[in-house]
């Protein structure tokens, strides 16, 4: 919107205020976003009209605009929540918690949990931080003081808090002046004219006789302007068209010319047919502006556009235009779209950005809200590299950032990734963060990202990052909250600084037409600008549809330009631009109204558009306005998922609501992912011709292999960096026949990774001093991943927490930083009632609620429910005998517990009403394991009788019972544990004699592993990794095995000498892990509980990033040799085909 249009809004606001149109005044304030009426805002706060408060506020900012906005919304919603609690309206408080406050859990999980805990208190003032909370009126007044400070500090409210000084009735005065001017221009001016309308220009009716009197000044009567419905536009807002020839030869030049004439492209959406204007009139208008010379901004734009036009006209023929407007329609079908879910991978934190490698099409780069970036190989589903957020050189950062970073650490708020992207040749990775920084990594090998450059790039968030080639030089382009676009050399030297936006710059789109390099930029106020790589300012200034956050993308061949964005009101727009006119060529329909955030989109195959919205993925044919099809990707995706196609368009990555992403495929995508079966991934990295010398070098490296790093095919010196990065991506075309031949002709050398020394892995021990009187018999990570909960054989639970600091910015559990033993100020212990219990015979059990709010446990006595914040016992239940032996929360209701009993029964217990709802009978001995599957709607139980029972969650009736397959007749007793794979179909069954995988839909065994060879001892405990790609198993001799979860093949052995002190190894009593726990977000991290009361958290070395590698497979047998360590049948293959 032009400055004159903005001023007109202020005049209308003054008019409405004078005419007492109160509701209209505030509605226009909100819809225009030009003036924030602090007085009105205060009135609504004091009145507790929270819906109106947020509705008004939404016209100026959204929750996630910046940290000030987030804090404003949080304070308002927190006050609303506290008031509901204060009047004992728990249902309303729960509604506010779920619908209003949950959004903040993404940014501060611990704070959200603390707020949730207030529901459990009789009076929230029992919380120490809220002990001074007074009455409602006082609390609102205190909050208002804080809100005023936040609003004044918020850059989005800059210049919006003061109404301009206007003379009274300024709009009437201007209308009177206009009418006087019209009256003076009358051919037959009459004295005292009668003004009856403002809808048409004023003219005096000719009199019968000659008229020579001087025109009488016109004064508009008040009655003449009562409630006018509309006013004429102050200027032309319809797009001007230019000649077809000019559009073809210099499309972008035409756009730039016309953008100065049309200040708003929004009109193209409203009115598709523009006014007929003679050819080249737009250019004429620029050459002969109607604006007086006193308007310097208009003169500046003329000069800039004129220079831009000269540079956009290369001396070449029409035939050399890179992207002709005519396009040949190729045949296509819905099957070309990747719509089938292949698998889901767990990232560990909310995925904020994704990008596929430009030529290695199954290599996916992922950025997260906790600041981590991860490189995934989708064929093997491996996390090749994971880089947590770290500041490489704090001394090189600005003082402002150092202060902000320390404040962020103190407030326990992570620095998130806002953008990850590959350079066009795939040799560099760019990462932008929500605070100041960008990181560049050099991609030198499949599992190696090397630090290249760190830049303190912007003040505030860096909102976008892209690579470009100005002057044939690879550069990085960034934009941020400081309203600036910057261009950097790869050395860190700043080349250009583009200023001109008046709001934070939301996204950038570098591109080129013919030999012209340029950048499109969009700001949070909807302004779109275009820049050449010079210092002459922007060449375009107009509004995007929705006047808010917008992203622009070109089709793969660069011939078509699209944009997608969402207004502050939640209305989303997906459009194609006509480059020759700077107008909208096509507006796509089918987007939902009132979105809670900005929708994301991508293009593929030069034919399709995809948008993530309304828990769905919607597809459009580029040449059709209507939605082509939509899918929900089998559920589990968020309201506004992020999505990204690979360059071939056969894979689509889509974020999930549970901190992961799904990979969708078409038929070609299925083939590319299955290439791992014939080791095509490794073969694709080979250069077409290898010299004998290189092969010899590679062979020599086998004999000198390090015990930890056995990844010969990925990091062998035989493959230099230029060869790996320069390989033609067509060599990875996944030709299965060729790959199989290569795999047979060139078998891969493989060695089991052995971890035998503490320096070969990362580990941390807690506590430092051991307590041999209490073994750690049960072990859990908190669901947030920031703590570990250990239950001792004495019935006491201990909680260790990791804090957020410079050494651990994410605040998550890590083996590189020691945690703190956490207790409330009261000094309470979480101790179970063990009076009258023989602890030697007691079987401890524990379960943690999904939101980490409370933990339930028992140790031979009653089951206790503890508040995780205060450690207080909230209630006890299930008096003995019989004693409880296993606990599991219902996955969909934290009030329902499945309790396995010593007498072989299972009780379905409702904590809220203190009642056993069902009692399940089917086992012969005590219950040792319980696992729910929401996909199959079943509960699976295991017992000391080596039986597995399947129960319906709906009716609690037994569906099936099967006996665990024992290879020998020995020991059919002992603990049997069960755990579901993340697909909720495959089931891990753990017994001291075996690991087994079952298809729980039929209870067919599809894999089995028996202790022998490198791991001959009985199994003490085992568990899936969080992404279900690995299985960690502990053994009675102290060894720990890391298995591939799909094949049950051993990939890494961790010897006791790697993590146990020498005293324990030489002691008379064997020390070994009694229990294994896995990190809920980091698949390579696990913890073990030991008999001396200590807990060890273990991770691979950061340089490794994973536990060994899977053995190559030839006809299902490692290295082509039969082995008695693996038994299997064909059920897995059948199951994979079903998937």
């Amino acid at each position: 919107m032009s400055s004159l249009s903005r001023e007109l809004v202020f005049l209308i606001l003054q008019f409405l205020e004078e005419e007492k149109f109160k509701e209209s005044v505030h509605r226009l304030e909100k819809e225009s976003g030009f003036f924030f009426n602090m007085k009105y805002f205060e009135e609504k706060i004091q009145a507790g009209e929270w819906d109106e408060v947020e509705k008004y506020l939404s016209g100026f900012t959204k929750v996630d605009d910046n940290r000030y906005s987030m804090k404003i919304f949080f304070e308002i919603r927190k006050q609303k929540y506290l008031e509901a609690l204060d009047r004992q309206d728990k249902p309303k408080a729960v509604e506010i918690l779920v619908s209003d406050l949950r959004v903040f859990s993404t940014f501060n999980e611990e704070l959200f949990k603390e707020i949730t805990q207030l529901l459990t208190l009789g009076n929230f003032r029992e919380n120490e931080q809220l002990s001074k909370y007074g009455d409602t009126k006082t609390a609102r007044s205190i909050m208002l003081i804080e809100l005023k400070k936040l609003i004044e500090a918020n850059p989005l409210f800059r210049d919006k808090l003061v109404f301009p000084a206007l003379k009274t009735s300024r709009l009437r005065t201007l209308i009177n002046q206009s009418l006087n001017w019209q009256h003076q221009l009358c051919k037959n001016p009459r004295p005292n004219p009668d003004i009856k309308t403002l809808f048409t220009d004023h003219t005096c009716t000719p009199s019968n006789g000659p008229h020579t009197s001087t025109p009488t000044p016109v004064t508009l009567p008040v009655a003449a302007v009562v409630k006018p419905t509309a006013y004429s536009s102050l200027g032309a807002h319809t797009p001007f068209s230019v000649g077809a020839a000019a559009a073809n030869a210099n499309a972008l030049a035409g756009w730039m010319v016309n953008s100065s004439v049309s200040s708003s492209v929004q009109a193209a959406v409203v009115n598709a047919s523009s006014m007929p204007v003679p050819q080249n009139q737009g250019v004429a208008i620029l050459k002969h502006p109607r604006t007086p010379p006193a308007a310097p901004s208009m003169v500046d734009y003329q000069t800039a556009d004129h220079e831009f036009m000269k540079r956009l006209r290369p001396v070449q023929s029409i035939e050399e235009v890179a992207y002709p407007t005519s396009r040949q329609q190729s045949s296509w079908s819905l099957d070309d779209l990747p719509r089938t879910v292949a698998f889901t991978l767990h990232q560990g934190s909310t995925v904020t950005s994704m990008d596929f490698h430009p030529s290695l099409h199954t290599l996916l780069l992922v950025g997260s809200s906790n600041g981590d970036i991860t490189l995934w190989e989708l064929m093997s589903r491996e996390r090749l590299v994971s880089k947590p957020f770290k500041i490489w050189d704090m001394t090189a950062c600005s003082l402002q950032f150092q202060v902000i970073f320390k404040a962020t650490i103190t407030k326990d708020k992570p620095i998130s990734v806002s953008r990850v992207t590959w350079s066009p040749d795939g040799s560099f990775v760019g990462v932008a963060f929500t605070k100041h920084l960008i990181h560049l990594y050099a991609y030198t090998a499949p599992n190696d990202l090397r630090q290249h450059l760190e830049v303190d790039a912007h003040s505030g968030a860096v909102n976008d990052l892209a690579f470009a080639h100005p002057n044939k030089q690879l550069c990085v382009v960034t934009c941020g909250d400081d309203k600036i676009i910057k261009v950097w050399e790869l050395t860190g030297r700043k080349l250009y600084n583009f200023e001109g936006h008046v709001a934070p710059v939301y996204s950038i789109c570098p591109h080129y037409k013919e030999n012209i390099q340029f950048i499109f930029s969009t700001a949070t106020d909807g302004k779109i600008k275009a820049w050449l790589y010079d210092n002459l300012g922007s060449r375009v200034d107009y509004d995007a549809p929705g006047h808010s956050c917008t992203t622009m993308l070109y089709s793969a061949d660069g011939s078509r330009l699209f944009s997608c964005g969402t207004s502050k009101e939640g209305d989303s727009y997906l459009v194609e631009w006509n480059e020759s006119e700077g107008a909208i060529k096509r507006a796509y329909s089918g987007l939902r109204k009132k979105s809670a955030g900005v929708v994301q989109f991508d293009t593929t195959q030069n034919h399709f558009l995809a948008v993530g919205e309304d828990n769905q993925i919607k597809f459009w044919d580029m040449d059709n306005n209507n939605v082509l099809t939509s899918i929900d990707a089998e559920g589990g995706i968020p309201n506004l998922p992020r999505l990204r196609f690979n360059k071939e368009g056969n894979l689509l990555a889509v974020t999930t609501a549970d901190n992961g992403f799904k990979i969708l495929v078409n038929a070609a995508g299925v083939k590319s992912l299955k290439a791992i079966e014939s080791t095509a991934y490794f073969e694709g990295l080979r250069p077409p011709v290898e010299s004998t010398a290189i092969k010899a070098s590679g062979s020599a490296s086998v004999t000198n292999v390090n015990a930890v790093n056995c990844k010969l095919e990925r990091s062998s010196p035989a493959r230099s960096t230029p060869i790996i990065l320069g390989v033609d991506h067509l060599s990875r075309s996944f030709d299965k026949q060729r790959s199989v031949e290569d795999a047979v002709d060139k078998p891969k050398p493989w060695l089991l990774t052995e971890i035998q020394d503490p320096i070969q892995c990362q580990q941390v021990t807690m506590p430092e001093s051991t307590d041999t009187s209490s073994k750690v018999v049960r072990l859990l990570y908190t669901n947030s991943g920031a703590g570990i909960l250990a239950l001792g054989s004495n019935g006491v639970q201990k909680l260790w927490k990791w804090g957020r600091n410079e050494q651990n910015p994410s605040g998550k559990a890590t083996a590189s930083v020691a945690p703190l033993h956490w207790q409330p100020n009261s000094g309470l212990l979480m101790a179970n009632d063990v009076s009258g219990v023989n602890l030697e015979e007691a079987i401890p059990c524990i379960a943690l609620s999904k939101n980490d709010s409370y933990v339930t446990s028992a140790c031979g006595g009653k089951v206790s429910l503890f508040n995780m914040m205060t450690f207080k016992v909230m209630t006890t239940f299930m008096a003995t005998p019989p004693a409880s032996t296993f606990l599991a929360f219902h996955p969909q209701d934290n009030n329902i517990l499945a309790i396995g009993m010593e007498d072989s029964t299972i009780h379905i217990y409702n904590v809220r009403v203190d009642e056993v709802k069902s009692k399940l009978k089917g086992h012969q001995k005590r219950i040792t394991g319980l696992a729910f599957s929401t996909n199959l709607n079943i509960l699976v139980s295991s017992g000391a009788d080596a039986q597995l029972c399947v129960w319906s969650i709906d009716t609690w009736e037994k569906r099936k019972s099967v006996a665990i397959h024992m290879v020998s007749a020995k020991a059919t007793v002992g603990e049997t544990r069960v755990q579901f794979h993340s697909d909720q179909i495959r089931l891990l069954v753990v017994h001291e004699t075996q690991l087994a995988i079952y298809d729980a839909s039929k209870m067919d065994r599809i894999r089995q592993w028996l202790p022998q060879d490198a791991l001959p001892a009985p199994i003490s405990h085992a568990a899936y990794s969080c992404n279900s790609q690995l299985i960690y198993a502990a053994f009675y001799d102290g060894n720990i095995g890391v298995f591939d979860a799909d094949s049950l093949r051993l990939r890494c052995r961790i010897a006791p000498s790697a993590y146990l002190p020498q005293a324990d190894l030489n002691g008379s009593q064997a020390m070994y892990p009694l229990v294994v726990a896995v990190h809920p977000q980091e698949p390579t991290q696990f913890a073990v509980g030991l008999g001396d009361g200590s807990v060890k958290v273990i991770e691979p070395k950061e340089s490794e990033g994973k536990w060994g590698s899977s053995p190559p497979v030839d006809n299902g047998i490692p290295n082509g040799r039969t082995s008695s360590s693996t038994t299997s049948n064909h059920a897995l293959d059948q199951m994979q085909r079903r998937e």
Side-chain angles (χ1 to χ4, degrees), residues 826-1018:
S826 63
L828 277 177
L829 292 176
M830 274 196 288
N832 281 283
D833 180 8
V834 293
S835 55
V837 174
N838 182 348
L839 293 178
E840 294 292 329
E841 298 178 357
I843 300 174
C845 51
I846 188 171
L848 183 64
S849 65
K850 288 180 67 176
N851 58 7
D852 293 340
S853 297
Y854 44 89
V855 62
T856 181
S857 63
C859 190
K862 287 184 178 181
V863 179
S864 299
L865 186 68
F866 295 91
N867 184 308
M868 279 283 282
M869 189 167 64
T870 64
F871 284 11
K872 291 181 180 179
V873 177
M874 299 169 66
T875 185
T876 59
F877 46 90
M878 303 303 292
T880 58
S884 303
T885 57
F886 202 92
L887 301 169
F889 277 101
H890 192 291
Q892 297 165 332
D893 189 345
N894 273 338
N895 293 301
I896 302 295
L897 267 173
I899 307 175
M901 308 299 290
E902 194 172 32
D903 67 354
S904 77
T905 61
I906 302 167
H907 291 193
I908 306 302
Y909 178 76
N910 189 311
V911 180
R912 177 173 291 176
V913 298
D914 188 21
E915 182 182 344
V916 175
K917 293 293 186 181
S918 295
K919 190 173 181 179
L920 316 182
K921 296 181 180 180
H923 287 277
Q924 305 303 314
K925 295 183 180 180
R926 61 182 170 85
I927 304 301
T928 59
L930 296 167
F932 284 94
S933 169
T934 51
N935 278 9
L936 299 176
N937 215 30
I938 59 173
L939 168 68
V940 175
S941 60
S942 60
D945 55 0
Q947 293 285 322
L948 301 175
C949 292
V950 181
W951 313 86
S952 166
I953 291 179
D954 295 328
T955 62
W956 299 115
E957 294 178 353
K958 187 166 72 170
R959 290 185 180 177
K960 196 169 187 178
S961 178
V962 298
I964 298 173
H965 181 265
M966 294 294 177
V967 176
S968 65
K970 66 176 184 178
T972 57
V973 296
E975 288 198 354
T976 305
R977 296 298 178 87
V978 287
Q979 182 190 359
F980 270 103
H981 187 283
S982 58
D983 65 10
Q984 296 280 290
I985 297 174
R986 281 171 278 187
L987 181 75
L988 172 64
V989 178
V990 182
H991 187 267
E992 65 177 26
T993 63
Q994 64 182 275
L995 299 174
I997 306 294
Y998 282 73
D999 177 356
S1001 64
K1002 301 176 181 178
M1003 288 310 292
D1004 290 338
R1005 181 173 57 84
I1006 54 180
R1007 284 285 187 273
Q1008 185 181 48
W1009 181 90
L1010 310 176
Q1012 55 199 281
D1013 298 337
L1015 299 172

Side-chain angles (χ1 to χ4, degrees), residues 707-751:
V708 180
N709 188 359
C710 299
K711 298 176 284 295
L712 300 179
E713 295 308 312
R714 297 196 182 185
S715 56
S716 168
R719 285 167 180 77
S720 63
T721 298
I723 292 176
I724 290 175
L725 297 178
V727 64
D728 185 353
H729 69 273
L730 292 178
S731 67
R732 294 192 58 192
S733 61
F734 311 121
D735 181 353
K736 182 171 290 189
Q737 183 177 354
R738 175 182 177 274
S739 299
V740 170
E741 291 170 358
D742 289 346
V744 173
D745 295 339
K746 302 173 185 178
K748 298 291 180 286
W750 178 87
L751 290 176

Side-chain angles (χ1 to χ4, degrees), residues 17 99 262 315 330 365 412 454 503 531 848 873 944 975 1091 1114 1128:
E17 182 70 32
S99 60
S262 175
V315 181
S330 59
L365 182 67
D412 204 35
E454 179 177 63
W531 317 79
L848 183 64
V873 177
E975 288 198 354
D1114 183 13
S1128 62

Side-chain angles (χ1 to χ4, degrees), residues 55 171 314 316 406 517 641 793 895 970 1117:
K55 186 177 178 182
L171 183 59
Q316 63 181 73
K406 289 178 181 177
Q517 298 273 349
S793 56
N895 293 301
K970 66 176 184 178
I1117 301 170

